[in-house]
């Protein structure tokens, strides 16, 4: 029997399936709702073999110029067993072609590079690509380990900074309301400007906070009413995934960024998560900070695409060029904003 692709339109049922398959938080309903508010459409499907659901996936669909029509993308999915992976992947590709007329189905599974899933993906007609969204090189901690076991993997200075922060008068807790969220955004803007990375518009983050609810906790460090640092996560039943993080200049001086990271690890363990994913490692200062929390690294399977159109070859060549062009445009915009900001500040009342 060929497995059937069945749409799922019930939020509670969908999130139940995500947790049943130990799925990633970027497969949760609320994450899809946010992406649907910012340029994507969402298609959530179950793969049923008779009376049994053998897999599921939240597909994000982005319309492309003719003749490419659409890209269909599954972040940190699909969800299924190794045994069912070939059939699930094949049915999802058929669905992406028939329903969305996609030029390709792009997947970035939450599967290890050296797992048996690699063979299943290749056997289903997918090919590895460098058109990456989520970085496969990462750091994943096992939250079933004790505090002493986790700290034993850290550098000596990291342990010292954590203990110093936890002994301070700084309060580490979850962000409670919209007013505190605005402090998070202000801290994130400050961090992005200092570190030189791009961020979304503020409304994007507000939509995550609203749509994800308890599935996207923010752990923050407060000195009285002042926020010093935060770690923003998305969490499913088994996996906590870092989305964003930031620290103020004062927070850096006090090194509370170490304490807030430790508080986030403990909070996610208390919430029942068994895995904590630091969300990507690059060769930069932020990654150097992450790597202080363990002696190992993890490599996920990476990005794989299945061609669904005769125009795939042209698409695969055009996509990297378009992405580089977008990155260049963003750098130019940021440079221009840096030149304009001092002038704007002089024109503001009171300056």
């Amino acid at each position: 029997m060929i497995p059937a692709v069945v749409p799922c339109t019930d939020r509670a049922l969908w999130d139940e399936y995500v947790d049943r398959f130990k799925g990633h938080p970027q497969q949760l309903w609320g994450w899809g709702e946010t992406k649907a508010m910012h340029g994507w459409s969402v298609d959530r499907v179950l793969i049923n073999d008779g009376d049994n659901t053998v897999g599921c996936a939240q597909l994000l669909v982005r319309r492309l110029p003719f003749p490419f029509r659409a890209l269909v993308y599954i972040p940190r999915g699909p969800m299924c067993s190794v045994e069912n992976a070939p059939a699930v992947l094949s049915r999802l590709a058929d669905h992406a072609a028939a329903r969305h007329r996609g030029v390709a189905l792009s997947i970035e599974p939450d599967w290890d590079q050296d797992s048996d899933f690699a063979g299943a993906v290749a056997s289903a007609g997918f090919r590895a690509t460098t058109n990456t969204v989520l970085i496969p090189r990462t750091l994943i901690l096992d939250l079933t380990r004790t505090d002493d076991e986790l700290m034993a993997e850290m550098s000596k200075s990291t342990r010292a900074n954590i203990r110093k922060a936890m002994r301070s008068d700084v309060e580490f807790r979850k962000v409670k309301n919209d007013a505190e969220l605005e402090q998070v955004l202000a801290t994130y803007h400050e961090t992005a400007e200092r570190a030189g990375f791009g961020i979304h518009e503020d409304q994007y983050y507000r939509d995550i906070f609203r749509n994800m609810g308890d599935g996207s906790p923010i752990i923050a460090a407060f000195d009285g009413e002042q926020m010093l640092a935060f770690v923003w996560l998305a969490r499913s039943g088994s996996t906590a995934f870092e989305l964003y993080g930031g620290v103020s200049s004062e927070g850096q001086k006090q090194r509370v960024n170490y304490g807030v990271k430790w508080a986030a690890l403990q909070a996610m363990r208390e919430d029942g998560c068994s895995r904590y994913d630091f969300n990507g490692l690059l060769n930069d200062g932020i990654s150097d900070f992450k790597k202080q929390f363990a002696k190992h690294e993890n490599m996920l399977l990476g990005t794989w695409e299945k061609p669904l159109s005769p125009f795939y070859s042209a698409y695969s060549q055009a996509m990297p060029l378009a992405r580089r062009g977008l990155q260049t445009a963003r750098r130019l915009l940021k440079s221009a904003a840096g030149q304009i900001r001092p002038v704007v500040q002089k024109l503001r009342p009171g300056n």
Side-chain angles (χ1 to χ4, degrees):
M1 178 183 294
I2 299 176
V5 180
V6 180
C8 182
T9 58
D10 183 292
R11 176 171 186 153
L13 180 62
W14 177 259
D15 287 347
E16 179 183 324
Y17 274 111
V18 172
D19 286 343
R20 183 183 303 180
F21 282 100
K22 299 186 181 302
H24 192 273
Q26 288 197 335
Q27 284 290 297
L28 290 171
W29 186 283
W31 185 259
E33 285 297 281
T34 300
K35 303 309 286 187
M37 299 170 71
H38 294 272
W40 296 83
S41 58
V42 184
D43 184 17
R44 303 175 184 91
V45 296
L46 307 175
I47 310 299
N48 292 340
D49 187 0
D51 294 331
N52 297 320
T53 298
V54 296
C56 56
Q58 178 168 250
L59 291 76
L60 304 180
V61 183
R62 172 82 77 173
R63 291 298 155 193
L64 299 175
F66 184 83
F68 303 129
R69 297 189 183 277
L71 170 66
V72 185
Y73 169 55
I74 305 178
R76 289 296 180 254
M79 297 162 281
C80 61
S81 67
V82 173
E83 294 76 16
N84 291 317
V88 168
L89 289 164
S90 294
R91 292 299 291 124
L92 287 171
D94 292 344
H95 176 75
R99 172 76 184 275
H100 302 293
R101 304 181 74 180
V103 66
L105 174 60
S106 177
I107 63 172
E108 292 181 326
D110 194 22
W111 299 333
D112 291 336
Q113 184 183 60
D114 57 359
S115 70
D116 292 338
F117 280 104
V121 171
S123 69
F126 286 75
R127 58 184 70 173
T129 176
T130 57
N131 289 330
T132 298
V133 178
L134 297 170
I135 302 167
R137 177 185 169 219
T138 188
L139 169 60
I140 301 175
L141 297 185
D142 179 359
L143 294 185
T144 66
R145 307 182 78 186
T146 66
D147 286 356
D148 288 342
E149 288 171 332
L150 289 172
M151 281 202 169
E153 291 292 305
M154 301 177 190
S155 66
K156 182 178 180 180
S157 61
T158 300
R159 293 195 296 270
N161 286 329
I162 289 172
R163 289 170 177 145
K164 180 179 179 181
M166 303 311 286
R167 288 195 302 266
S168 70
D169 293 331
V170 174
E171 180 186 12
F172 298 93
R173 61 169 175 81
K174 291 182 179 180
V175 166
K176 300 176 181 177
N177 52 47
D178 290 344
E180 291 181 351
L181 175 63
E182 294 307 308
Q183 288 197 63
V184 169
L185 297 180
T187 304
Y188 197 38
H189 276 281
E190 179 184 342
T191 304
E193 186 168 348
R194 182 174 60 241
F197 59 82
I199 61 177
H200 294 282
E201 60 179 356
D202 286 354
Q203 190 57 45
Y204 180 78
Y205 304 108
R206 296 186 186 111
D207 290 338
I208 293 175
F209 191 67
R210 181 185 307 108
N211 292 327
M212 294 286 287
D214 292 339
S216 189
I218 306 173
I219 313 302
F222 289 89
D223 184 359
E225 297 297 319
Q226 181 185 6
M227 181 180 294
L228 299 176
F230 73 90
V231 175
W232 192 335
L233 303 126
R235 62 164 298 267
S236 57
S238 61
T239 298
F241 180 70
E242 286 192 359
L243 294 175
Y244 319 108
V247 58
S248 68
S249 297
E250 181 59 31
Q252 274 193 320
K253 292 177 184 178
Q254 298 186 36
R255 297 191 174 181
V256 296
N257 47 331
Y258 289 89
V260 78
K261 188 79 76 175
W262 180 249
L265 291 171
Q266 296 209 314
M268 293 302 96
R269 183 169 57 189
E270 290 171 5
D271 283 353
C273 294
S274 58
R275 301 168 71 237
Y276 187 104
D277 189 338
F278 281 66
N279 185 10
L281 295 174
L282 296 169
N283 297 315
D284 61 5
I286 294 173
S287 298
D288 289 341
F289 173 68
K290 293 178 181 179
K291 287 188 286 187
Q292 294 180 57
F293 287 82
K295 297 176 182 178
H296 73 278
E297 294 181 7
N298 298 84
M299 182 64 74
L300 298 180
L301 194 57
T303 310
W304 292 69
E305 290 179 344
K306 182 166 185 176
L308 303 177
S309 162
F311 297 105
Y312 173 78
S313 179
Y315 159 81
S316 64
Q317 295 177 32
M319 179 57 72
L321 295 174
R323 182 168 292 171
R324 284 197 293 270
L326 181 59
Q327 291 171 343
T328 300
R330 285 174 175 168
R331 286 196 296 268
L332 291 173
L333 285 171
K334 182 177 178 181
S335 176
Q339 296 173 12
I340 293 170
R341 189 176 295 109
V343 177
V344 173
Q345 289 174 341
K346 289 181 180 179
L347 295 175
R348 284 176 179 167
N351 288 338

